[in-house]
Amino acid sequence: MKISSLTVHCASLCLDVVNGDSFEKLTIADIQSWQDELYSYIENRVALLKLSNETQHLFITSVRDEVLMI
């Protein structure tokens, strides 16, 4: 099975949240408030892909939104 490093990174982000002490107390608003922070984390991971600025923004936004939905 071939798994990309971005997939592992996103799964790790999700597991960190679920395993956190305050997970059961989190609200949807709490999780949604992490949008900018998650965007930055993912942006750092995809910097080596050499995408155009617009494509990179759309890609990162899509990945971030999926992570937030999970």
Side-chain angles (χ1 to χ4, degrees):
M1 177 184 338
K2 185 175 180 181
I3 299 173
S4 74
S5 60
L6 183 60
T7 301
V8 172
H9 179 64
C10 291
S12 177
L13 283 172
C14 294
L15 291 171
D16 285 347
V17 172
V18 171
N19 287 322
D21 293 335
S22 62
F23 174 69
E24 292 182 19
K25 298 175 187 170
L26 289 174
T27 66
I28 298 296
D30 293 332
I31 294 169
Q32 291 295 323
S33 72
W34 301 339
Q35 286 186 16
D36 292 340
E37 187 176 359
L38 288 173
Y39 187 97
S40 294
Y41 287 152
I42 296 165
E43 183 177 38
N44 290 335
R45 292 291 183 162
V46 301
L48 298 175
L49 295 179
K50 306 293 183 199
L51 302 170
S52 71
N53 288 340
E54 181 180 346
T55 301
Q56 180 172 320
H57 174 72
L58 290 172
F59 179 74
I60 295 169
T61 301
S62 296
V63 171
R64 180 209 55 205
D65 291 350
E66 291 298 320
V67 168
L68 288 170
M69 287 176 52
I70 292 170

